[in-house]
Amino acid sequence: MQLSTAHHDERLTAPRSWWGIAVMTGLAGALMLLPLGTLPLLAGLVGGTALAGLVVSSYGSARVRVVNGALAAGEARIPVSALGEPEILDAEEARAWRTYKADPRAFMLMRSYVATAVRIEVTDPADPTPYVYVSTREPQALVSALRAARAA
């Protein structure tokens, strides 16, 4: 696949503390099975940790990309020609757009552990989605890639 000059690729990984919680979940599973013996205890430890780790990993696997003239945010693929001017949201403004300013028709790729975001108006008249809200740790890089993709 040939990448355009307007390339941005970011994975919204879960914070390290969530992995610690996954290990503690495994320990809780082991303690619940302690009265049944050593093998069930080990099975609870391994199984609980693996299951919790799988949940953390899947939630933290969201990707934000600008590639070949499209914004790919999670499962959504939106051509940049259908998007308006991107707006960088600082932590306070991003929180406002996640809560009381939010429109239920908007597409939102939110991650609570990422403070900053980018909001982009959808300009396609056939699309009922008013805007796209994307959590990102690199809002300036995402906006630059979107502008470069639109200019190309």
Side-chain angles (χ1 to χ4, degrees):
M1 175 169 78
Q2 180 72 15
L3 296 179
S4 68
T5 56
H7 177 70
H8 175 79
D9 193 355
E10 176 182 10
R11 184 173 298 277
L12 301 177
T13 57
R16 289 186 187 126
S17 61
W18 287 27
W19 292 101
I21 293 170
V23 170
M24 287 195 261
T25 301
L27 288 172
L31 289 174
M32 286 188 295
L33 297 174
L34 177 63
L36 301 177
T38 306
L39 284 177
L41 176 131
L42 290 174
L45 176 65
V46 171
T49 303
L51 185 61
L54 183 65
V55 169
V56 169
S57 177
S58 67
Y59 187 72
S61 67
R63 288 180 74 184
V64 177
R65 296 178 292 159
V66 177
V67 101
N68 295 331
L71 169 66
E75 298 297 319
R77 305 287 180 268
I78 308 159
V80 293
S81 59
L83 298 173
E85 185 62 23
E87 174 188 358
I88 294 176
L89 305 174
D90 62 11
E92 184 178 321
E93 195 65 19
R95 186 183 145 290
W97 280 101
R98 281 193 309 265
T99 56
Y100 63 91
K101 285 186 176 181
D103 187 325
R105 298 173 300 151
F107 173 78
M108 302 180 94
L109 178 68
M110 296 185 291
R111 292 301 183 257
S112 61
Y113 47 84
V114 178
T116 55
V118 171
R119 189 178 76 84
I120 313 136
E121 296 288 330
V122 176
T123 58
D124 183 1
D127 191 344
T129 307
Y131 61 89
V132 176
Y133 174 100
V134 180
S135 292
T136 176
R137 289 187 176 100
E138 304 168 358
Q140 190 60 50
L142 177 58
V143 167
S144 296
L146 286 167
R147 287 179 179 153
R150 191 174 329 129

